[in-house]
Amino acid sequence: MKITDNILIIDLEATCWNDRPPRGQESEIIEIGICIMDAKTGKILQNEGILVKPQFSKASPFCTELTSITQQMLDDEGILLEDALDILRAEYDSKNLTWASLWKL
């Protein structure tokens, strides 16, 4: 594992349903939550969320209740996943940082 002064923490949100996805829809990333944490102090140095417009699915009412992300937000502010990943690489020096992820049950 690479040891760095800062840690890149990623939290993904995805389309979801209370039951099975409707026909033709699938689980897709709709937000990449990003923060940079100082490894020595634990202080958050940067915090951002990038909305990602799903290509095959819509945010269900269940998904909105769970994440607070609406389909209108995704339509108005969402970008392609590839563009979000480009931002992650370019603006966060992601190749040179230790990564961590959040896991919610």
Side-chain angles (χ1 to χ4, degrees):
M1 178 171 84
K2 185 181 287 191
I3 306 290
T4 59
D5 291 336
N6 294 325
I7 298 173
L8 176 65
I9 302 171
I10 301 293
D11 179 37
L12 300 177
E13 300 293 346
T15 52
C16 54
W17 301 268
N18 195 25
D19 201 2
R20 293 183 186 185
R23 187 169 297 225
Q25 295 195 41
E26 58 189 62
S27 185
E28 294 181 79
I29 294 170
I30 57 172
E31 183 183 39
I32 302 174
I34 306 163
C35 74
I36 303 289
M37 183 183 79
D38 182 303
K40 292 179 183 164
T41 66
K43 182 179 176 186
I44 300 299
L45 306 174
Q46 270 182 279
N47 190 12
E48 174 183 17
I50 301 173
L51 291 176
V52 178
K53 190 171 190 170
Q55 300 301 298
F56 306 103
S57 303
K58 299 285 183 190
S60 68
F62 175 79
C63 184
T64 296
E65 184 179 321
L66 198 61
T67 66
S68 76
I69 298 169
T70 66
Q71 186 61 45
Q72 189 66 50
M73 291 168 64
L74 297 172
D75 290 342
D76 293 347
E77 304 167 41
I79 62 175
L80 295 174
L81 178 59
E82 294 79 12
D83 294 337
L85 296 176
D86 286 342
I87 290 169
L88 193 58
R89 284 187 282 273
E91 294 183 20
Y92 290 92
D93 193 26
S94 59
K95 268 180 136 175
N96 295 312
L97 292 177
T98 301
W99 281 52
S101 179
L102 300 174
W103 179 265
K104 299 176 200 170
L105 294 176

XYZ file of all heavy atoms in Angstrom:
830
model
N 0.832 -1.177 0.000
C 0.000 0.000 0.000
C 0.880 1.244 0.000
O 1.874 1.316 0.705
C -0.899 -0.005 1.233
C -1.758 1.227 1.320
S -3.005 1.155 2.618
C -2.059 1.668 4.031
N 0.477 2.213 -0.795
C 1.186 3.483 -0.865
C 0.844 4.307 0.381
O -0.305 4.452 0.749
C 0.751 4.219 -2.124
C 1.497 5.511 -2.374
C 0.985 6.198 -3.623
C 1.469 5.418 -4.820
N 1.262 6.123 -6.073
N 1.872 4.839 1.057
C 1.677 5.685 2.235
C 1.841 7.135 1.792
O 2.862 7.502 1.227
C 2.707 5.366 3.337
C 2.709 3.883 3.686
C 2.476 6.249 4.552
C 1.487 3.406 4.401
N 0.833 7.965 2.036
C 0.881 9.370 1.645
C 0.402 10.239 2.800
O -0.210 9.757 3.746
C -0.001 9.628 0.401
O -1.341 9.249 0.697
C 0.491 8.838 -0.804
N 0.676 11.541 2.698
C 0.236 12.487 3.729
C -1.273 12.704 3.690
O -1.883 13.026 4.701
C 0.948 13.831 3.566
C 2.436 13.742 3.887
O 2.824 12.825 4.647
O 3.200 14.585 3.393
N -1.857 12.560 2.501
C -3.288 12.755 2.338
C -3.936 11.473 1.839
O -3.316 10.703 1.102
C -3.579 13.889 1.353
C -3.132 15.233 1.885
O -3.204 15.486 3.085
N -2.667 16.089 1.011
N -5.179 11.280 2.233
C -5.931 10.094 1.821
C -7.130 10.557 1.002
O -7.859 11.467 1.397
C -6.415 9.290 3.042
C -5.204 8.796 3.843
C -7.300 8.126 2.621
C -5.555 8.140 5.156
N -7.322 9.937 -0.144
C -8.465 10.201 -1.012
C -9.579 9.240 -0.608
O -9.417 8.028 -0.701
C -8.073 9.977 -2.476
C -9.175 10.119 -3.519
C -9.679 11.547 -3.579
C -8.651 9.674 -4.874
N -10.686 9.786 -0.116
C -11.804 8.953 0.335
C -12.947 9.101 -0.668
O -13.354 10.219 -0.995
C -12.271 9.360 1.744
C -11.093 9.242 2.728
C -13.453 8.500 2.184
C -11.364 9.802 4.096
N -13.427 7.972 -1.151
C -14.473 7.931 -2.171
C -15.715 7.258 -1.587
O -15.626 6.236 -0.910
C -13.998 7.110 -3.397
C -12.743 7.716 -4.012
C -15.108 6.968 -4.427
C -12.932 9.055 -4.637
N -16.875 7.837 -1.886
C -18.163 7.244 -1.507
C -19.051 7.256 -2.743
O -19.286 8.324 -3.319
C -18.805 8.038 -0.372
C -20.162 7.482 0.035
O -20.326 6.245 0.034
O -21.051 8.284 0.346
N -19.499 6.096 -3.181
C -20.337 6.004 -4.382
C -21.796 5.835 -4.008
O -22.123 5.081 -3.087
C -19.900 4.807 -5.242
C -18.466 4.810 -5.745
C -18.184 3.524 -6.505
C -18.176 6.030 -6.603
N -22.658 6.525 -4.738
C -24.099 6.315 -4.660
C -24.537 5.785 -6.019
O -23.978 6.171 -7.044
C -24.842 7.618 -4.341
C -24.455 8.270 -3.031
C -24.850 7.465 -1.798
O -25.655 6.518 -1.907
O -24.354 7.789 -0.710
N -25.523 4.920 -6.011
C -25.978 4.306 -7.262
C -27.502 4.274 -7.317
O -28.174 4.363 -6.289
C -25.437 2.880 -7.380
N -28.023 4.135 -8.536
C -29.457 3.951 -8.673
C -29.850 2.701 -7.902
O -29.083 1.736 -7.832
C -29.873 3.804 -10.151
O -29.087 2.790 -10.769
C -29.721 5.110 -10.902
N -31.027 2.746 -7.302
C -31.458 1.621 -6.487
C -32.980 1.597 -6.433
O -33.638 2.600 -6.706
C -30.864 1.702 -5.086
S -31.188 3.268 -4.240
N -33.502 0.463 -6.064
C -34.940 0.250 -5.987
C -35.242 -0.519 -4.709
O -34.376 -1.194 -4.177
C -35.425 -0.530 -7.205
C -35.117 0.197 -8.472
C -35.925 1.072 -9.139
C -33.896 0.160 -9.221
N -35.289 1.574 -10.244
C -34.036 1.032 -10.321
C -32.674 -0.505 -9.063
C -33.038 1.249 -11.255
C -31.670 -0.295 -9.991
C -31.857 0.562 -11.080
N -36.464 -0.425 -4.267
C -36.870 -1.150 -3.082
C -36.896 -2.650 -3.341
O -36.753 -3.451 -2.431
C -38.249 -0.657 -2.621
C -38.574 -1.083 -1.210
O -37.674 -1.320 -0.411
N -39.844 -1.164 -0.900
N -37.062 -3.026 -4.585
C -37.107 -4.426 -4.999
C -36.196 -4.576 -6.212
O -35.229 -3.846 -6.345
C -38.565 -4.799 -5.325
C -38.819 -6.300 -5.264
O -37.889 -7.056 -4.942
O -39.948 -6.708 -5.553
N -36.521 -5.441 -7.103
C -35.726 -5.616 -8.324
C -35.813 -4.372 -9.204
O -36.839 -3.695 -9.221
C -36.249 -6.800 -9.122
C -36.034 -8.107 -8.434
C -36.521 -9.210 -9.319
N -36.437 -10.469 -8.599
C -36.698 -11.624 -9.137
N -37.088 -11.702 -10.383
N -36.594 -12.716 -8.417
N -34.760 -4.113 -9.983
C -34.828 -2.980 -10.912
C -35.903 -3.231 -11.979
O -36.113 -4.370 -12.381
C -33.455 -2.944 -11.565
C -32.613 -3.941 -10.883
C -33.471 -4.785 -10.013
N -36.569 -2.170 -12.420
C -37.515 -2.335 -13.523
C -36.799 -2.856 -14.770
O -35.593 -2.641 -14.944
C -38.035 -0.917 -13.762
C -37.746 -0.180 -12.499
C -36.522 -0.818 -11.926
N -37.524 -3.522 -15.607
C -36.955 -4.079 -16.840
C -36.219 -2.989 -17.621
O -36.725 -1.895 -17.788
C -38.078 -4.655 -17.704
C -37.574 -5.387 -18.916
C -38.685 -6.134 -19.534
N -39.112 -7.120 -18.535
C -39.368 -8.379 -18.817
N -39.306 -8.809 -20.036
N -39.719 -9.211 -17.863
N -35.005 -3.299 -18.050
C -34.201 -2.375 -18.833
C -33.355 -1.415 -18.001
O -32.551 -0.683 -18.546
N -33.540 -1.420 -16.682
C -32.733 -0.552 -15.837
C -31.729 -1.391 -15.052
O -31.922 -2.588 -14.857
C -33.621 0.258 -14.891
C -34.510 1.227 -15.642
C -35.116 2.257 -14.733
O -34.467 2.780 -13.832
N -36.387 2.572 -14.969
N -30.661 -0.746 -14.638
C -29.609 -1.432 -13.895
C -28.990 -0.466 -12.896
O -29.162 0.744 -13.009
C -28.546 -1.967 -14.849
C -27.903 -0.889 -15.700
C -27.004 -1.436 -16.794
O -27.489 -2.158 -17.666
O -25.807 -1.104 -16.747
N -28.294 -1.000 -11.935
C -27.625 -0.174 -10.943
C -26.469 0.578 -11.614
O -25.596 -0.029 -12.215
C -27.106 -1.055 -9.801
O -26.567 -0.239 -8.794
N -26.516 1.907 -11.500
C -25.479 2.754 -12.086
C -25.056 3.813 -11.081
O -25.877 4.294 -10.291
C -26.001 3.497 -13.319
C -26.347 2.634 -14.494
C -26.834 3.480 -15.654
O -25.977 4.068 -16.342
O -28.054 3.567 -15.847
N -23.804 4.200 -11.122
C -23.288 5.262 -10.254
C -24.010 6.561 -10.588
O -24.108 6.939 -11.759
C -21.768 5.425 -10.424
C -21.046 4.174 -9.926
C -21.264 6.676 -9.694
C -19.572 4.138 -10.264
N -24.514 7.254 -9.545
C -25.145 8.555 -9.746
C -24.431 9.676 -8.980
O -24.708 10.841 -9.206
C -26.645 8.531 -9.385
C -26.865 8.066 -7.946
C -27.421 7.695 -10.388
C -28.302 8.198 -7.465
N -23.530 9.309 -8.089
C -22.726 10.328 -7.408
C -21.409 9.725 -6.949
O -21.369 8.594 -6.474
C -23.451 10.903 -6.191
C -22.636 12.019 -5.535
C -23.268 12.581 -4.280
O -23.837 11.809 -3.488
O -23.162 13.805 -4.091
N -20.357 10.511 -7.118
C -19.054 10.159 -6.548
C -18.765 11.211 -5.492
O -18.566 12.389 -5.804
C -17.936 10.145 -7.605
C -18.264 9.160 -8.728
C -16.587 9.804 -6.946
C -17.286 9.194 -9.895
N -18.824 10.786 -4.244
C -18.466 11.675 -3.138
C -16.958 11.572 -2.940
O -16.406 10.478 -2.889
N -16.312 12.712 -2.841
C -14.850 12.753 -2.760
C -14.437 13.650 -1.608
O -14.953 14.757 -1.470
C -14.244 13.353 -4.051
C -14.732 12.609 -5.284
C -12.722 13.375 -3.984
C -14.522 13.379 -6.569
N -13.515 13.180 -0.804
C -12.886 14.093 0.146
C -11.416 13.714 0.289
O -11.019 12.572 0.084
C -13.617 14.163 1.474
S -13.431 12.777 2.559
N -10.643 14.726 0.597
C -9.221 14.554 0.885
C -9.047 14.773 2.381
O -9.477 15.792 2.920
C -8.347 15.564 0.110
C -8.570 15.463 -1.401
C -6.882 15.394 0.473
C -8.018 14.216 -2.024
N -8.435 13.797 3.036
C -8.223 13.889 4.481
C -6.726 13.899 4.783
O -5.967 13.111 4.206
C -8.869 12.691 5.175
C -8.751 12.754 6.689
S -9.447 11.300 7.496
C -8.125 10.117 7.278
N -6.318 14.788 5.648
C -4.946 14.818 6.127
C -4.748 13.597 7.022
O -5.431 13.447 8.038
C -4.694 16.111 6.909
C -3.260 16.244 7.392
O -2.787 15.337 8.127
O -2.613 17.243 7.061
N -3.836 12.718 6.652
C -3.650 11.457 7.364
C -3.138 11.665 8.798
O -3.418 10.853 9.672
C -2.691 10.557 6.590
N -2.409 12.732 9.039
C -1.852 12.956 10.370
C -2.862 13.573 11.333
O -2.904 13.211 12.505
C -0.611 13.849 10.264
C 0.541 13.162 9.573
C 1.739 14.056 9.447
C 2.814 13.300 8.673
N 3.847 14.158 8.170
N -3.671 14.512 10.844
C -4.586 15.230 11.736
C -6.024 14.726 11.649
O -6.821 15.003 12.535
C -4.595 16.735 11.392
O -5.162 16.915 10.085
C -3.194 17.335 11.450
N -6.359 14.032 10.561
C -7.732 13.593 10.345
C -8.635 14.697 9.833
O -9.829 14.508 9.639
N -8.071 15.874 9.564
C -8.840 17.020 9.085
C -9.205 16.835 7.611
O -8.376 16.405 6.805
C -8.034 18.302 9.261
C -8.760 19.547 8.835
C -7.920 20.789 9.053
C -8.674 21.997 8.523
N -7.865 23.202 8.585
N -10.457 17.153 7.267
C -10.903 17.093 5.877
C -10.434 18.367 5.180
O -10.780 19.478 5.593
C -12.440 16.960 5.782
C -12.909 15.697 6.490
C -12.900 17.003 4.328
C -12.363 14.403 5.943
N -9.646 18.199 4.114
C -9.083 19.335 3.396
C -9.951 19.767 2.224
O -9.960 20.943 1.853
C -7.673 18.986 2.890
C -6.692 18.490 3.949
C -5.388 18.052 3.305
C -6.446 19.575 4.983
N -10.634 18.827 1.614
C -11.507 19.084 0.472
C -12.686 18.143 0.562
O -12.540 17.008 1.013
C -10.777 18.802 -0.847
C -10.037 19.956 -1.450
C -9.404 19.537 -2.759
O -8.341 18.921 -2.747
N -10.037 19.855 -3.857
N -13.844 18.601 0.083
C -15.036 17.762 0.113
C -15.916 18.161 -1.062
O -16.242 19.334 -1.207
C -15.764 17.966 1.439
C -16.865 16.965 1.658
O -16.982 15.984 0.949
N -17.677 17.218 2.652
N -16.287 17.192 -1.902
C -17.075 17.491 -3.100
C -17.892 16.267 -3.485
O -17.506 15.135 -3.226
C -16.124 17.854 -4.249
C -16.804 18.055 -5.570
C -15.846 18.339 -6.716
O -14.633 18.088 -6.596
O -16.335 18.801 -7.749
N -18.991 16.511 -4.128
C -19.778 15.443 -4.725
C -19.948 15.726 -6.201
O -20.266 16.849 -6.587
N -19.712 14.735 -7.028
C -19.889 14.877 -8.470
C -21.095 14.041 -8.867
O -21.098 12.820 -8.678
C -18.642 14.395 -9.244
C -17.403 15.190 -8.839
C -18.888 14.496 -10.747
C -16.105 14.656 -9.436
N -22.123 14.695 -9.391
C -23.304 13.978 -9.857
C -23.028 13.369 -11.222
O -22.445 14.023 -12.095
C -24.508 14.918 -9.938
C -25.047 15.412 -8.605
C -26.182 16.406 -8.826
C -25.514 14.258 -7.739
N -23.436 12.127 -11.377
C -23.200 11.375 -12.611
C -24.561 11.016 -13.202
O -25.398 10.410 -12.537
C -22.379 10.099 -12.335
C -22.190 9.298 -13.606
C -21.032 10.459 -11.706
N -24.757 11.382 -14.455
C -26.023 11.108 -15.128
C -26.047 9.646 -15.587
O -25.226 9.234 -16.396
C -26.184 12.038 -16.326
C -27.547 11.994 -16.946
C -27.692 13.082 -17.976
C -29.124 13.168 -18.411
N -29.343 14.354 -19.235
N -26.982 8.853 -15.061
C -27.046 7.445 -15.477
C -27.475 7.342 -16.943
O -28.245 8.173 -17.432
C -28.095 6.837 -14.540
C -28.916 7.981 -14.079
C -28.031 9.190 -14.098
N -26.961 6.346 -17.627
C -27.240 6.183 -19.046
C -28.436 5.284 -19.324
O -29.076 5.401 -20.359
C -25.994 5.631 -19.759
C -24.784 6.536 -19.637
C -25.048 7.909 -20.218
O -25.307 8.042 -21.405
N -25.020 8.934 -19.377
N -28.743 4.351 -18.416
C -29.772 3.355 -18.672
C -30.901 3.356 -17.650
O -31.874 2.644 -17.820
C -29.143 1.948 -18.707
C -28.005 1.848 -19.668
C -26.699 1.849 -19.207
C -28.225 1.788 -21.030
C -25.632 1.772 -20.090
C -27.173 1.711 -21.918
C -25.871 1.701 -21.462
N -30.752 4.116 -16.585
C -31.690 4.036 -15.466
C -32.144 5.412 -15.033
O -31.556 6.425 -15.404
C -31.038 3.321 -14.286
O -30.597 2.053 -14.677
N -33.166 5.429 -14.197
C -33.681 6.653 -13.583
C -33.616 6.485 -12.072
O -33.699 5.373 -11.550
C -35.135 6.894 -13.997
C -35.341 7.067 -15.485
C -34.863 8.411 -15.931
C -35.153 8.604 -17.418
N -34.517 9.779 -17.941
N -33.468 7.594 -11.387
C -33.487 7.560 -9.913
C -34.928 7.297 -9.472
O -35.824 8.070 -9.774
C -32.975 8.871 -9.346
N -35.132 6.219 -8.776
C -36.467 5.848 -8.294
C -36.823 6.691 -7.071
O -35.945 7.274 -6.426
C -36.480 4.363 -7.917
O -35.675 4.149 -6.766
N -38.102 6.762 -6.715
C -38.472 7.440 -5.468
C -37.734 6.845 -4.264
O -37.318 7.576 -3.360
C -39.986 7.214 -5.374
C -40.426 7.076 -6.802
C -39.292 6.346 -7.482
N -37.551 5.523 -4.248
C -36.800 4.871 -3.176
C -35.361 5.385 -3.137
O -34.819 5.688 -2.073
C -36.827 3.349 -3.377
C -35.987 2.596 -2.392
C -36.450 2.361 -1.102
C -34.737 2.110 -2.744
C -35.675 1.663 -0.182
C -33.950 1.418 -1.840
C -34.424 1.193 -0.552
N -34.746 5.501 -4.305
C -33.369 5.988 -4.405
C -33.273 7.429 -3.902
O -32.357 7.773 -3.161
C -32.904 5.885 -5.863
S -31.192 6.334 -6.139
N -34.225 8.263 -4.292
C -34.231 9.655 -3.848
C -34.399 9.736 -2.333
O -33.719 10.514 -1.669
C -35.348 10.442 -4.557
O -35.058 10.458 -5.961
C -35.434 11.865 -4.044
N -35.280 8.908 -1.777
C -35.476 8.894 -0.326
C -34.189 8.489 0.392
O -33.824 9.052 1.425
C -36.599 7.927 0.028
C -36.942 7.917 1.490
C -38.088 6.966 1.801
O -39.032 6.890 1.005
O -38.008 6.296 2.847
N -33.485 7.535 -0.171
C -32.262 7.018 0.435
C -31.085 7.985 0.310
O -30.299 8.157 1.244
C -31.917 5.673 -0.222
C -30.965 4.748 0.466
C -31.488 4.324 1.828
C -30.715 3.524 -0.400
N -30.949 8.626 -0.859
C -29.761 9.436 -1.145
C -30.004 10.936 -1.178
O -29.043 11.704 -1.172
C -29.169 9.046 -2.516
O -30.105 9.417 -3.542
C -28.846 7.575 -2.597
N -31.252 11.345 -1.296
C -31.678 12.734 -1.504
C -31.332 13.252 -2.905
O -31.479 14.433 -3.187
C -31.163 13.691 -0.423
O -29.802 13.998 -0.603
N -30.906 12.378 -3.784
C -30.589 12.750 -5.170
C -31.827 12.500 -6.029
O -32.355 11.386 -6.047
C -29.397 11.935 -5.707
C -28.145 12.214 -4.872
C -29.148 12.248 -7.178
C -26.987 11.275 -5.151
N -32.287 13.535 -6.716
C -33.463 13.403 -7.565
C -33.057 13.222 -9.028
O -31.943 13.593 -9.426
C -34.357 14.653 -7.471
O -33.645 15.774 -8.021
C -34.764 14.946 -6.030
N -33.973 12.696 -9.811
C -33.712 12.571 -11.239
C -33.504 13.949 -11.869
O -32.669 14.117 -12.745
C -34.853 11.828 -11.940
C -34.569 11.550 -13.402
C -33.350 10.680 -13.625
O -33.162 9.676 -12.957
N -32.498 11.070 -14.569
N -34.242 14.944 -11.374
C -34.082 16.304 -11.900
C -32.666 16.821 -11.653
O -32.070 17.454 -12.530
C -35.106 17.252 -11.251
C -35.150 18.617 -11.909
C -35.664 18.548 -13.332
O -36.703 17.960 -13.581
N -34.943 19.140 -14.258
N -32.112 16.552 -10.477
C -30.728 16.950 -10.192
C -29.768 16.291 -11.173
O -28.846 16.937 -11.689
C -30.343 16.557 -8.757
C -31.047 17.341 -7.681
S -30.833 16.613 -6.024
C -29.080 16.770 -5.771
N -29.981 15.007 -11.433
C -29.106 14.282 -12.361
C -29.240 14.828 -13.780
O -28.243 14.983 -14.491
C -29.422 12.791 -12.319
C -29.176 12.115 -10.973
C -29.716 10.693 -10.981
C -27.697 12.137 -10.614
N -30.480 15.133 -14.187
C -30.701 15.689 -15.521
C -30.057 17.057 -15.671
O -29.465 17.367 -16.701
C -32.200 15.800 -15.815
C -32.877 14.453 -16.001
O -32.179 13.447 -16.252
O -34.120 14.409 -15.886
N -30.166 17.883 -14.627
C -29.669 19.256 -14.699
C -28.166 19.380 -14.467
O -27.504 20.200 -15.102
C -30.384 20.139 -13.663
C -31.859 20.332 -13.963
O -32.311 20.009 -15.087
O -32.577 20.786 -13.050
N -27.621 18.580 -13.551
C -26.233 18.779 -13.116
C -25.320 17.588 -13.378
O -24.103 17.701 -13.221
C -26.206 19.081 -11.611
C -27.052 20.263 -11.197
C -27.242 20.336 -9.698
O -26.259 20.093 -8.962
O -28.376 20.615 -9.258
N -25.899 16.443 -13.733
C -25.094 15.235 -13.910
C -24.204 15.301 -15.139
O -24.534 15.938 -16.136
N -23.054 14.648 -15.026
C -22.125 14.538 -16.148
C -21.882 13.061 -16.435
O -22.240 12.201 -15.632
C -20.793 15.279 -15.861
C -20.063 14.658 -14.654
C -21.044 16.768 -15.640
C -18.685 15.266 -14.382
N -21.280 12.765 -17.556
C -20.962 11.383 -17.892
C -19.956 10.805 -16.896
O -19.083 11.526 -16.401
C -20.391 11.286 -19.302
C -21.332 11.658 -20.442
C -20.569 11.652 -21.764
C -22.510 10.701 -20.500
N -20.069 9.504 -16.623
C -19.149 8.847 -15.698
C -17.706 9.040 -16.138
O -16.826 9.304 -15.313
C -19.483 7.353 -15.582
C -18.577 6.534 -14.678
C -18.594 7.067 -13.246
C -18.972 5.064 -14.706
N -17.442 8.921 -17.429
C -16.070 9.087 -17.937
C -15.522 10.475 -17.600
O -14.353 10.628 -17.251
C -16.020 8.853 -19.451
C -16.319 7.437 -19.868
C -17.817 7.089 -19.881
O -18.675 8.005 -19.775
O -18.126 5.895 -19.963
N -16.384 11.500 -17.704
C -15.957 12.859 -17.370
C -15.703 13.003 -15.870
O -14.767 13.681 -15.450
C -17.004 13.877 -17.829
C -17.132 13.928 -19.349
O -16.174 13.548 -20.049
O -18.208 14.340 -19.826
N -16.533 12.354 -15.058
C -16.322 12.383 -13.605
C -14.993 11.729 -13.242
O -14.261 12.227 -12.381
C -17.474 11.682 -12.898
N -14.673 10.630 -13.908
C -13.397 9.955 -13.644
C -12.216 10.812 -14.095
O -11.167 10.819 -13.442
C -13.374 8.587 -14.321
C -14.424 7.600 -13.796
C -14.386 6.305 -14.612
C -14.260 7.331 -12.322
N -12.383 11.544 -15.198
C -11.335 12.475 -15.633
C -11.094 13.548 -14.577
O -9.950 13.909 -14.300
C -11.709 13.139 -16.966
C -11.581 12.195 -18.150
O -10.904 11.150 -18.028
O -12.170 12.516 -19.209
N -12.172 14.053 -13.973
C -12.036 15.051 -12.900
C -11.287 14.445 -11.719
O -10.390 15.069 -11.149
C -13.427 15.562 -12.460
C -14.046 16.423 -13.552
C -13.332 16.337 -11.140
C -15.505 16.757 -13.335
N -11.629 13.232 -11.369
C -10.969 12.549 -10.257
C -9.464 12.435 -10.499
O -8.661 12.709 -9.610
C -11.590 11.161 -10.080
C -11.294 10.383 -8.827
C -11.707 11.152 -7.594
C -11.983 9.042 -8.872
N -9.090 12.061 -11.720
C -7.663 11.936 -12.049
C -6.967 13.290 -12.088
O -5.879 13.458 -11.534
C -7.500 11.237 -13.398
C -7.730 9.745 -13.354
C -7.376 9.071 -14.685
N -8.389 9.247 -15.693
C -9.446 8.451 -15.862
N -9.607 7.418 -15.082
N -10.322 8.680 -16.820
N -7.581 14.266 -12.734
C -6.927 15.556 -12.972
C -6.887 16.456 -11.738
O -5.877 17.087 -11.463
C -7.637 16.292 -14.110
N -7.989 16.511 -10.995
C -8.085 17.484 -9.912
C -7.679 16.938 -8.547
O -7.469 17.709 -7.618
C -9.504 18.041 -9.839
C -9.861 18.856 -11.071
C -11.244 19.485 -10.979
O -11.775 19.612 -9.861
O -11.765 19.845 -12.051
N -7.566 15.624 -8.420
C -7.300 15.049 -7.099
C -6.008 14.243 -7.032
O -5.754 13.592 -6.041
C -8.488 14.194 -6.649
C -9.677 15.045 -6.332
C -10.633 15.321 -7.296
C -9.826 15.614 -5.076
C -11.722 16.134 -7.019
C -10.900 16.431 -4.783
C -11.839 16.681 -5.764
O -12.908 17.490 -5.482
N -5.216 14.269 -8.085
C -3.940 13.551 -8.081
C -4.143 12.112 -7.596
O -3.377 11.586 -6.787
C -2.934 14.292 -7.188
C -1.510 13.799 -7.383
O -1.183 13.286 -8.477
O -0.715 13.903 -6.429
N -5.206 11.479 -8.085
C -5.635 10.179 -7.561
C -4.602 9.075 -7.741
O -4.601 8.107 -6.981
C -6.969 9.774 -8.200
O -6.847 9.690 -9.603
N -3.716 9.222 -8.714
C -2.675 8.198 -8.913
C -1.664 8.172 -7.774
O -1.067 7.147 -7.492
C -1.918 8.476 -10.219
C -2.454 7.798 -11.425
C -1.586 8.180 -12.594
C -1.271 6.999 -13.444
N -0.524 7.375 -14.640
N -1.487 9.327 -7.133
C -0.420 9.451 -6.146
C -0.903 9.514 -4.698
O -0.140 9.888 -3.816
C 0.421 10.692 -6.467
C 1.127 10.542 -7.792
O 1.754 9.521 -8.059
N 1.010 11.536 -8.649
N -2.151 9.167 -4.455
C -2.676 9.205 -3.095
C -3.080 7.817 -2.625
O -3.399 6.943 -3.416
C -3.905 10.118 -3.019
C -3.680 11.611 -3.224
C -5.005 12.351 -3.190
C -2.738 12.177 -2.190
N -3.072 7.633 -1.328
C -3.664 6.450 -0.723
C -5.173 6.610 -0.826
O -5.703 7.689 -0.570
C -3.244 6.348 0.761
O -1.814 6.280 0.833
C -3.857 5.130 1.423
N -5.865 5.536 -1.193
C -7.320 5.580 -1.355
C -8.002 4.863 -0.190
O -7.492 3.893 0.346
C -7.711 4.851 -2.626
C -7.528 5.606 -3.891
C -6.391 6.235 -4.320
C -8.489 5.784 -4.914
N -6.610 6.792 -5.533
C -7.881 6.536 -5.944
C -9.806 5.389 -5.079
C -8.549 6.894 -7.095
C -10.464 5.748 -6.234
C -9.847 6.488 -7.230
N -9.186 5.337 0.128
C -10.065 4.652 1.074
C -11.482 4.798 0.549
O -11.769 5.663 -0.284
C -9.946 5.268 2.467
N -12.375 3.968 1.024
C -13.759 4.033 0.593
C -14.677 3.857 1.787
O -14.307 3.243 2.777
C -14.028 2.941 -0.437
O -15.376 2.976 -0.865
N -15.856 4.410 1.668
C -16.875 4.246 2.704
C -17.760 3.090 2.311
O -18.042 2.875 1.130
C -17.708 5.514 2.827
C -16.938 6.771 3.183
C -17.874 7.976 3.135
C -16.319 6.662 4.552
N -18.230 2.352 3.276
C -19.137 1.237 3.009
C -20.290 1.349 3.991
O -20.094 1.351 5.188
C -18.421 -0.099 3.195
C -19.325 -1.256 2.944
C -20.027 -1.957 3.875
C -19.656 -1.839 1.701
N -20.762 -2.950 3.273
C -20.543 -2.885 1.933
C -19.284 -1.563 0.380
C -21.069 -3.687 0.923
C -19.805 -2.346 -0.611
C -20.674 -3.394 -0.338
N -21.488 1.507 3.449
C -22.674 1.631 4.297
C -23.545 0.418 4.084
O -23.767 -0.008 2.962
C -23.457 2.881 3.933
C -22.702 4.151 4.110
C -23.562 5.301 3.625
C -22.706 6.509 3.334
N -23.463 7.546 2.655
N -24.056 -0.121 5.147
C -24.990 -1.238 5.035
C -26.399 -0.776 5.309
O -26.678 0.090 6.021
C -24.624 -2.344 6.025
C -23.308 -3.032 5.750
C -23.033 -4.033 6.864
C -23.337 -3.742 4.426
